[in-house]
Amino acid sequence: MISMPTRLPQEILKTVFGYDSWRPLQREIIDSVLSGRDSLAVLPTGGGKSLCYQIPALVIEGTTLVVSPLIALMRDQVSALKAAGVDAVFINSSLDLDERRGIEMRVRAGEVKLIYAAPESLSGDRLLSLIDTAPPGLIVVDEAHCVSEWGHDFRPEYRTLSALRGRYPRAVWLATTATATERVRADIAGSLGLREPAVFLGGFDRPNLRISVERKLELKRRLLRFALSRPDQSGIVYCGSRRRTEDLAAALTAAGVKAGAYHAGLPSEERTRVQEAFVRDDILVVVATVAFGMGIDKPDVRWIVHADLPKSVENYYQEIGRAGRDGLPSDCVLFYSAGDVVQASRLFGDLPDEQRRAALARLDSMRDYAESDRCRRAMILDHFSEAHGDRNCGACDNCLSGPRETADLSVAAQKFLSCVKRTGERFGAAHVVDVLLGERTEKVERFGHEALSTFGIGLELGRSGWLALARRLASTGHLLRDPEHSTLSLGRPAYELFASKSPYVVPADLVGLSSGDAGDRGRDDDAGRALGRKRSRRRAAPERSFIRSSEAGGGTDEELFMSLRALRKRIADEAGVPPYVVFPDRTLKEMALSKPTSEAELSELYGVGRAKLARYGQDFLGVLRSASGLDA
Ligand code: ADP
Ligand code: ZN
């Protein structure tokens, strides 16, 4: 074998991929793999997992086998690699016979560096005997959480992957995933038979995502406004039901936004069509159920809107994670109404007891997130047990909005807590509220609770206000909620509150006391005045916290950017690849700003490697020159 001069990862990063610096942990993971150690990399979506094996693939001897469950993603990754001048192929059920034969010939000829394969095709002998002709030095298991029953996308075929270990004993293994709790991590290492793997845990923070929660009022009108104010930005709207996806997609289309609906009930050709049109920028907005997105590798999704409440913080985080994988600022808006919680919990009705409780608990955390006035980012990081400094993140609605209108609910809180105490700390919030409101329900009478001193003393809040206060008291530790039966008991802070050590102040709108709520809350609002509601300097106007997206530059730069985009789209369509495969947005923005005039200057820019420079350089320089009037 000819000994090749080993290329350095840093050099490959620039010459092949056109990047100057590493994302967090990339370098460490690559070094670990190159040192021959099995590794497990947990990086957030957009963290740059692909490079962690694509670069080693160009350094090590032998091929790199990448197991991925996502057929569409494989195709795009392979297009992107080819555009960067790297020989890669994918093998899955979507290939026709001719394509497959062609690929097999290239693999046999030893031309291929990376082979992407779906897990199910690895159980057949045909693919394996092909791979035998070019044995892998590196085996990558992408989306590795699929191996675990504890993960959210369990795929039984993943369980058989460890058999590859016996067939290719010399290969190093790298497992990658964006979501893994400790339990799932242990499962991945165990099921794949990783040998004392080096584990790399990336942070969950995505500082380029601007996060906000808006009240769900006039959803359709506001969604249209949101999308129309972002012409030529790609976005995804997530909905809880198929019907809503079609309804909103139709409304967007009627307003002139290129949009498509996507849900599991559509024929698979239609789903593929929508997905490809989105990836190729032929449609800009996909209105989807959660079924959309897992197989998508589009780095320039600029915004995510949740039209309905996600079922868990994990789901929510995964879905907003599809925005801004290229690191540029992106907006994530969740439209929330308390009614969504009830709606969503109905879907769990048929589940066996234990699963239903788990599902409800996940939904509870999602609701707490939506209702909280804390920094959204801090809440997400808390959820994933990641440390953070509790500082103002400057990019979520709660950090940006300043102090909210507050209400001193010390007396109401004491009433609620003492009612919990007097009913024996054995009931859930709904019953306690019945007692406070003086409802003579069957349960109230059965337990004789109409005789309690707290019966009917709570008319200052409505039912939903009391329930919101109860949740708040639980989140501040005044109430303890039994996870199994949802019964409430008192925590230590409750006794401090009885002793009147500190006032209990909450955001006024949390319990329906905000002065902005007109009409149906009349009674609560009067009570609010009696309760000493305070007004803060600013109150959220409905659309205020939609954050303006950053502009590419001044007017002319923006025009130039659009011309460059148009060129990119033409090249991409001719080659039958997604536009970002030609160059990501960021490259075009840098071109529009710095206006390079030579290949040397162009190659300095983000995302411009040798292969792309050779292939597309002159075309883009042409547009840049004519824009600056040089060849006029
Ligand atoms: P994920 O971890 O979600 O799989 P990807 O590997 O798809 O992330 O990377 C997301 C985007 O970031 C891609 O467009 C990729 O080319 C880009 N990227 C990866 N590493 C770097 C880097 N070191 N510098 C700049 N861009 C990078
Ligand atoms: Zn914040």
Side-chain angles (χ1 to χ4, degrees):
M1 178 160 287
I2 327 156
S3 82
M4 276 208 315
T6 318
R7 287 212 279 164
L8 296 171
Q10 181 78 42
E11 184 197 335
I12 298 176
L13 181 70
K14 181 62 195 165
T15 57
V16 177
F17 298 97
Y19 303 140
D20 291 315
S21 55
W22 300 103
R23 296 248 173 97
L25 293 180
Q26 278 181 327
R27 185 63 214 247
E28 289 82 346
I29 295 165
I30 289 170
D31 285 348
S32 167
V33 169
L34 289 179
S35 77
R37 177 140 186 222
D38 284 354
S39 306
L40 167 58
V42 184
L43 289 188
T45 311
K49 286 182 281 298
S50 318
L51 285 195
C52 296
Y53 53 83
Q54 289 169 346
I55 288 181
L58 296 177
V59 175
I60 60 165
E61 256 171 52
T63 53
T64 290
L65 173 64
V66 184
V67 184
S68 163
L70 309 167
I71 290 183
L73 190 113
M74 269 186 227
R75 188 176 329 118
D76 291 344
Q77 288 241 348
V78 167
S79 313
L81 282 168
K82 284 188 181 155
V86 177
D87 274 313
V89 296
F90 67 91
I91 296 176
N92 62 36
S93 52
S94 76
L95 293 175
D96 64 33
L97 208 61
D98 279 351
E99 287 174 315
R100 192 163 174 133
R101 288 225 177 89
I103 284 173
E104 290 181 359
M105 267 168 55
R106 289 174 51 211
V107 173
R108 289 221 168 78
E111 287 171 9
V112 168
K113 289 308 293 178
L114 288 109
I115 303 173
Y116 283 76
E120 53 277 9
S121 43
L122 285 165
S123 48
D125 224 36
R126 174 159 180 189
L127 177 57
L128 287 176
S129 42
L130 175 67
I131 295 174
D132 287 345
T133 66
L138 170 61
I139 293 179
V140 180
V141 182
D142 200 8
E143 310 287 349
H145 59 278
C146 293
V147 82
S148 169
E149 277 168 308
W150 300 103
H152 47 84
D153 302 305
F154 176 54
R155 302 204 178 207
E157 319 87 75
Y158 263 66
R159 282 289 164 94
T160 59
L161 292 175
S162 59
L164 295 174
R165 167 92 53 198
R167 196 156 179 140
Y168 308 112
R170 293 193 5 216
V172 180
W173 284 58
L174 170 66
T176 65
T177 174
T179 42
T181 58
E182 222 167 285
R183 181 161 206 173
V184 173
R185 283 204 298 273
D187 236 12
I188 291 173
S191 303
L192 295 178
L194 303 183
R195 284 168 305 205
E196 295 174 22
V199 178
F200 299 89
L201 288 180
F204 284 92
D205 194 14
R206 300 277 313 277
N208 63 316
L209 300 186
R210 300 182 287 209
I211 307 174
S212 63
V213 179
E214 306 266 328
R215 264 193 196 214
K216 191 153 132 186
L217 296 168
E218 303 194 298
L219 173 68
K220 203 179 276 183
R221 189 183 63 77
R222 291 168 67 188
L223 174 64
L224 291 182
R225 216 171 117 176
F226 184 85
L228 287 168
S229 68
R230 290 164 171 73
D232 46 69
Q233 289 190 6
S234 298
I236 305 174
V237 183
Y238 284 108
C239 305
S241 70
R242 296 174 183 184
R243 209 177 35 172
R244 196 193 300 270
T245 63
E246 294 183 358
D247 182 37
L248 293 179
L252 284 161
T253 308
V257 179
K258 288 186 203 145
Y262 184 104
H263 58 72
L266 293 170
S268 75
E269 309 82 67
E270 173 63 4
R271 278 182 296 169
T272 309
R273 189 192 69 77
V274 170
Q275 179 157 326
E276 289 198 344
F278 183 61
V279 168
R280 299 192 173 180
D281 291 347
D282 290 328
I283 60 178
L284 283 178
V285 179
V286 173
V287 190
T289 53
V290 287
F292 183 75
M294 196 178 165
I296 298 212
D297 192 18
K298 188 170 166 50
D300 55 0
V301 175
R302 286 275 74 82
W303 56 266
I304 304 284
V305 163
H306 280 91
D308 294 308
L309 192 67
K311 290 197 192 62
S312 68
V313 176
E314 285 89 343
N315 282 317
Y316 171 73
Y317 179 76
Q318 192 180 47
E319 285 155 18
I320 63 173
R322 294 186 179 126
R325 292 169 76 159
D326 53 11
L328 296 176
S330 306
D331 293 323
C332 309
V333 180
L334 162 66
F335 284 106
Y336 172 71
S337 96
D340 281 0
V341 182
V342 183
Q343 192 109 39
S345 60
R346 282 204 195 107
L347 300 173
F348 307 143
D350 298 337
L351 293 176
D353 268 6
E354 194 175 326
Q355 284 181 33
R356 192 179 61 243
R357 271 200 293 273
L360 287 172
R362 286 195 292 265
L363 186 62
D364 272 351
S365 334
M366 189 61 218
R367 190 220 15 238
D368 289 347
Y369 170 87
E371 291 186 352
S372 175
D373 58 345
R374 284 185 60 207
C375 170
R376 308 275 177 208
R377 216 168 290 281
M379 290 201 78
I380 291 173
L381 295 178
D382 277 350
H383 189 86
F384 292 110
S385 321
E386 184 175 326
H388 55 84
D390 253 328
R391 47 186 184 271
N392 186 311
C393 81
C396 81
D397 52 345
N398 287 336
C399 286
L400 289 171
S401 72
R404 284 212 257 172
E405 191 174 357
T406 56
D408 181 350
L409 289 193
S410 307
V411 175
Q414 286 185 14
K415 284 182 185 174
F416 193 94
L417 295 170
S418 85
C419 195
V420 168
K421 182 89 190 150
R422 275 166 218 272
T423 50
E425 301 183 83
R426 319 187 271 135
F427 295 92
H431 179 71
V432 176
V433 173
D434 282 339
V435 175
L436 285 167
L437 292 176
E439 309 275 359
R440 292 181 183 271
T441 63
E442 185 271 328
K443 205 168 175 182
V444 166
E445 295 190 339
R446 178 149 42 101
F447 290 96
H449 286 163
E450 75 277 7
L452 293 177
S453 60
T454 50
F455 184 75
I457 59 161
L459 298 180
E460 65 266 53
L461 292 179
R463 174 172 299 275
S464 61
W466 281 115
L467 290 172
L469 177 61
R471 292 196 291 273
R472 184 80 177 187
L473 287 165
S475 76
T476 50
H478 292 73
L479 284 175
L480 307 173
R481 189 159 41 192
D482 180 284
E484 206 160 313
H485 305 101
S486 295
T487 53
L488 299 173
S489 57
L490 300 190
R492 202 164 45 85
Y495 295 97
E496 289 165 13
L497 187 68
F498 285 137
S500 295
K501 286 213 181 115
S502 52
Y504 197 73
V505 177
V506 305
D509 55 357
L510 184 82
V511 290
L513 291 177
S514 154
S515 52
D517 300 334
D520 58 343
R521 293 233 172 74
R523 189 181 65 169
D524 285 353
D525 199 47
D526 288 344
R529 236 160 276 136
L531 282 165
R533 185 183 57 219
K534 293 190 189 62
R535 289 193 79 147
S536 64
R537 300 179 273 122
R538 295 195 284 161
R539 199 161 46 74
E543 237 123 346
R544 190 182 49 75
S545 51
F546 280 159
I547 305 157
R548 280 269 155 280
S549 54
S550 68
E551 305 297 332
T556 43
D557 288 349
E558 182 69 31
E559 272 166 37
L560 179 52
F561 176 67
M562 296 311 290
S563 321
L564 294 167
R565 262 179 82 104
L567 170 63
R568 176 178 71 173
K569 177 78 176 126
R570 272 203 306 284
I571 294 176
D573 285 349
E574 263 165 40
V577 297
Y580 70 79
V581 162
V582 176
F583 281 127
D585 276 3
R586 178 156 160 207
T587 308
L588 302 191
K589 286 194 177 165
E590 290 193 4
M591 283 186 198
L593 283 172
S594 70
K595 304 185 183 58
T597 53
S598 65
E599 289 201 357
E601 282 173 28
L602 196 57
S603 73
E604 293 290 303
L605 302 187
Y606 175 93
V608 185
R610 271 181 204 155
K612 292 189 183 181
L613 184 67
R615 204 163 308 166
Y616 313 126
Q618 284 308 324
D619 287 343
F620 281 90
L621 285 171
V623 169
L624 289 160
R625 281 199 205 102
S626 60
S628 59
L630 283 185
D631 63 353

